[in-house]
Structures are given as C-alpha cells and as structure tokens.
Amino acid sequence: MRLIKILFATLLIASLPVTMALAAAPPRTVLLVGDSLSSAHRIPVESGWVQRLQDRLKLASATPPVIINASRAGKSMADALAELPGLLAAHHPDAVILELGGNDAFLGASEAQLHRDLVRLIDMARDAGARVAVLGFEIPPKLDHAHCGARLSAVYRQVAGEQNVVLLPSLMAGVSDQPSLLLDDGVHPTAAAGERMLDNAWSTLKPFLLD
C-alpha cells in the first residue's frame, strides 16, 4: 500500500509541469468586445488598431491567436452584457479583451453602475474559461461633462485591482489631444491614429496574448 502511495505521488508531481504549462498556454482565440474605438469607425478596417494588432501578432509569432472583433459603434456595457453569452458560446475564446465604458460614462452612468457592469462582464468571461484584459478610455477634458471621466478612470483602476485583470488605462493616449489624429467629430481616431493606438496597447497585450 505504501509503495502504491509513493508511486501515485510521484506521478502526480511529474504531471504538474505539464498541467501548469497547459494553464499558461497562449490563447488561440481572442474575443474583443468594444465600441467605436475598436470597430474602425468611419475608416478602412485595415487601418483600425485591431486589424493592425492581428497583423503584428502574425509577425511576432508563428502561431498567433485569431482575434474575433465584436466591436460596434455606440456599444455600451449593457449592450455587451446582452451579447456576450452568445459570443462566448459561439467562439469559445481563450481570452476576452473588453474595450468599453466610454459610451456609458458619456450617457451619465453612475460609478456604481459602471463598476457593477464591468465586473459582471469580467465574471461572465471568466466563467466561460477565458482570461480577461480591459482597455480603458481616458475622456478628454473638453468632453468631460459632470466629471464622467474621473468616474470612469476610477472604476477601471478599482475593478482591475479587485479582479486582478490586465488594464491599459487609456487606449487613446497621445491621440485624443492631437486634432490631426481625430475625425471631424473630435472624438474618433483617423486611419493615421491606428498605429499609435496599437503602440499604446502593445506593451499590455503582447504578454497577455503571446507569453
């Protein structure tokens, strides 16, 4: 009996590196759920930062993950909560990237509501077995009505800390304050801004998607 126990323990220990390696394996399918910042709004799809991310991943890895871009202009976290179950069931992603919150903040969502909905999205993705990263949006001062930007930034930081998820504070850093990189609405990025946005995201997403 003692010999059997020793053999079982040896086999269990020997299997741990394999189990840990599988758990840490890079994702093969990535679901990106975002709004107009990620949907190539009014610009060619190939110029958007998401397609540029896919292209860069192909250069960086012989087996890059496939990105499924489920972003849409105007999408709120409430919209995403309704859509995410179907997306998870259809694509079975290994990782989910959430680029949401700006529309909710613009529409006056409270800090409590922003926090609740973002946590629910993270929980939903994790319950489906996916890792989660959050890409934030720092609302420019000229568009920051009733301090909605401060509420949104606070929620990103708080939720990332509480839920231990990867966070990029602002996908639009160095873009929102450059009129030449914005469309005529003064909010959305031009085709020329795609590379800057990808550079912003790359240091956060590269280890998340490839390591």
Side-chain angles (χ1 to χ4, degrees):
M1 180 65 70
R2 183 181 178 188
L3 179 60
I4 293 174
K5 289 182 178 179
I6 292 172
L7 288 172
F8 178 78
T10 302
L11 290 171
L12 180 62
I13 292 171
S15 71
L16 284 176
V18 176
T19 303
M20 293 173 66
L22 289 173
R28 302 273 43 88
T29 304
V30 179
L31 176 65
L32 197 157
V33 184
D35 52 32
S36 55
L37 299 183
S38 298
S39 69
H41 179 66
R42 291 176 54 197
I43 62 174
V45 171
E46 62 271 17
S47 298
W49 81 270
V50 179
Q51 184 57 53
R52 290 172 187 262
L53 173 62
Q54 184 72 83
D55 295 342
R56 190 177 292 187
L57 288 169
K58 289 178 180 177
L59 294 175
S61 172
T63 57
V66 174
I67 299 175
I68 298 161
N69 191 359
S71 302
R72 184 182 75 250
K75 184 176 288 190
S76 66
M77 287 196 281
D79 295 327
L81 284 167
E83 296 172 8
L84 190 55
L87 291 169
L88 293 170
H91 302 293
H92 305 287
D94 306 294
V96 172
I97 300 172
L98 301 172
E99 182 275 297
L100 296 162
N103 289 317
D104 304 78
F106 281 135
L107 293 172
S110 68
E111 189 168 328
Q113 181 181 344
L114 292 167
H115 184 283
R116 181 195 66 221
D117 288 351
L118 185 54
V119 169
R120 287 178 64 195
L121 288 166
I122 292 169
D123 286 345
M124 200 178 289
R126 282 180 166 167
D127 287 346
R131 291 188 261 164
V132 182
V134 174
L135 305 184
F137 173 52
E138 191 172 78
I139 296 175
K142 64 181 180 180
L143 300 174
D144 190 357
H145 307 299
H147 306 292
C148 62
R151 289 198 301 275
L152 183 59
S153 295
V155 166
Y156 286 141
R157 293 192 302 270
Q158 184 177 8
V159 170
E162 293 172 351
Q163 302 295 315
N164 192 28
V165 295
V166 173
L167 171 67
L168 174 69
S170 180
L171 180 63
M172 290 280 283
V175 176
S176 290
D177 59 351
Q178 298 294 321
S180 62
L181 295 177
L182 299 175
L183 297 176
D184 53 13
D185 59 15
V187 178
H188 295 97
T190 64
E195 195 70 17
R196 177 76 62 87
M197 295 171 70
L198 174 55
D199 287 341
N200 288 342
W202 185 244
S203 61
T204 298
L205 293 183
K206 181 177 181 291
F208 180 72
L209 298 177
L210 296 181
D211 293 353

